[in-house]
Amino acid sequence: MIRAYKFLLRPTVGQAIALGEMLRDHCSLYNGALQERRDAYRHPSKTSIKYGMQSEQLKDIRTFDPERQGRWSFSSQQATLRRLDKAFAAFFRRIKAGDKPGYPRFRGVNWFDTVDFPRDGDGCRLDSTPHDHVTRVRLQGVGHVRVNQHRAVLGTVKTVSVKREGRKWFVVITAEQPLPEPLPATGSDIGIDLGIASFLTDSNGTHSWGVFLTILNAKAESAGWEVMAVDPRNTSRRCPACGHTAKENRPTQEKFHCVDCGHQAHADEVGARNVLRTGLVRRNANTAWREAPPLRAGRSHEERFHAETPRSRTGQHRARARAAWNVAWA
């Protein structure tokens, strides 16, 4: 499991200048590599430039410009070239999919705000002064920069990135951690509706506010639990008592009143209960699929589908859906 940490940096005046120069030179490298690709493609030969070809040129570039390009980490420069390569890969992927291509653009120095170090210890070192009570990160060409580390970094540090946000500098660290032991099962499930009347309402009827989606997924992963997103359509219009769905069931933003059976509740609570049931249906269907008997060798799921008669296949689908629905509404 990979976990990210973000800490504020406290550079000296000289270190802040060096950090700005580092971004400037990596931006120049990015734009130069982009220009080379453009020029090569515009040439009558339609030459295609790849990451490997540009990475091989780094040694000569560093030798030619020792005061700027030769000052920084070789690995971080390779990471910048990989970033450009990923931009082109995404560009060609969008063309293939028929989407708006969005050709990679040149970056202004004020819009190039991150330098990546692919491996701790190669051009960078977290906790570079372990005998000092202050945590520092060593960055090649910059020095030992103070880190405002407000929490411990658990696991093995994999990558280090330096990021500028306005006038502040941050270090972003990714660390690999072992998968946690799942917390004991509670025997219960809960649905959460992100509503309008209330930001969040759970299927027990309680309300809370805050930016929590990222935290929710992270905490669930750490506990060995599952967060499942479901289609929210009609979840606040479907009656949890009888299943009748109609927009007339919502006479006001907060009120739910089923026009068929008369059931009344808070609209967001109704939405949360329907989210829970929809999630249970999906989970039960996924479990049934995983537990299905293995296919005979040489036959795909699609081949088995066509081998069965439409009537029997439809009946099986109906039976499975009915069973899952009954479990969810029980």
Side-chain angles (χ1 to χ4, degrees):
M1 181 176 68
I2 301 295
R3 185 62 56 84
Y5 300 84
K6 182 179 179 181
F7 302 124
L8 179 68
L9 291 177
R10 301 286 190 183
T12 64
V13 174
Q15 289 172 341
I17 293 174
L19 288 170
E21 292 172 344
M22 181 175 68
L23 285 185
R24 176 201 65 192
D25 294 340
H26 277 74
C27 178
S28 177
L29 177 66
Y30 182 96
N31 288 336
L34 173 56
Q35 185 65 56
E36 182 186 32
R37 290 193 180 213
R38 288 166 60 99
D39 292 345
Y41 187 75
R42 289 172 176 172
H43 190 271
S45 64
K46 297 291 184 181
T47 303
S48 178
I49 302 293
K50 302 296 185 181
Y51 161 77
M53 301 168 64
Q54 294 189 314
S55 180
E56 289 177 355
Q57 301 176 48
L58 269 179
K59 185 177 180 179
D60 293 335
I61 292 173
R62 291 166 61 87
T63 301
F64 177 78
D65 188 8
E67 297 299 322
R68 294 186 60 175
Q69 297 299 336
R71 180 181 176 186
W72 313 113
S73 162
F74 188 91
S75 295
S76 69
Q77 292 172 321
Q78 287 181 314
T80 294
L81 294 179
R82 288 193 191 96
R83 188 191 308 184
L84 176 63
D85 195 61
K86 289 179 180 178
F88 270 96
F91 166 70
F92 289 117
R93 184 170 60 250
R94 289 190 294 269
I95 290 179
K96 186 176 181 179
D99 300 332
K100 185 177 180 180
Y103 191 85
R105 298 181 179 181
F106 293 102
R107 301 290 188 90
V109 68
N110 293 325
W111 292 93
F112 194 94
D113 55 15
T114 305
V115 171
D116 299 318
F117 296 85
R119 185 170 65 254
D120 185 38
D122 188 356
C124 67
R125 172 68 72 183
L126 181 65
D127 197 15
S128 58
T129 57
H131 301 296
D132 192 344
H133 69 282
V134 176
T135 302
R136 301 180 190 275
V137 59
R138 185 188 66 80
L139 304 171
Q140 181 176 327
V142 178
H144 300 269
V145 184
R146 182 175 179 176
V147 179
N148 186 17
Q149 185 176 347
H150 56 272
R151 59 184 297 194
V153 175
L154 304 179
T156 303
V157 176
K158 304 298 289 185
T159 66
V160 176
S161 300
V162 175
K163 183 177 179 63
R164 179 180 59 195
E165 295 183 4
R167 296 185 177 181
K168 296 182 178 180
W169 295 91
F170 295 87
V171 60
V172 180
I173 299 159
T174 62
E176 185 175 17
Q177 303 172 359
L179 291 176
E181 289 293 330
L183 293 177
T186 63
S188 64
D189 301 285
I190 193 168
I192 297 176
D193 176 61
L194 301 183
I196 298 176
S198 296
F199 170 76
L200 177 151
T201 305
D202 65 30
S203 50
N204 292 330
T206 61
H207 303 266
S208 64
W209 293 85
V211 179
F212 88 110
L213 284 175
T214 301
I215 298 176
L216 177 66
N217 281 280
K219 293 297 184 182
E221 183 182 15
S222 297
W225 292 354
E226 180 183 17
V227 175
M228 178 181 291
V230 301
D231 188 345
R233 286 178 294 183
N234 291 323
T235 53
S236 60
R237 295 180 175 182
R238 183 184 305 116
C239 180
C242 70
H244 178 68
T245 303
K247 64 179 182 179
E248 291 78 16
N249 289 349
R250 292 282 298 275
T252 67
Q253 188 65 51
E254 299 184 3
K255 184 178 180 180
F256 180 91
H257 188 176
C258 180
V259 297
D260 191 40
C261 71
H263 177 75
Q264 298 185 45
H266 192 285
D268 287 342
E269 181 183 345
V270 168
R273 293 175 64 183
N274 285 325
V275 165
L276 172 61
R277 285 166 175 161
T278 303
L280 290 175
V281 169
R282 279 190 56 190
R283 188 181 67 181
N284 293 337
N286 291 341
T287 300
W289 179 259
R290 289 194 298 266
E291 294 177 353
L295 299 176
R296 294 201 304 270
R299 299 185 71 196
S300 66
H301 285 284
E302 183 178 1
E303 289 171 339
R304 188 176 72 173
F305 178 87
H306 291 295
E308 296 173 0
T309 63
R311 180 185 297 264
S312 66
R313 190 69 182 182
T314 301
Q316 291 172 13
H317 277 302
R318 288 176 177 172
R320 290 176 182 173
R322 187 160 51 244
W325 182 259
N326 291 337
V327 170
W329 281 79

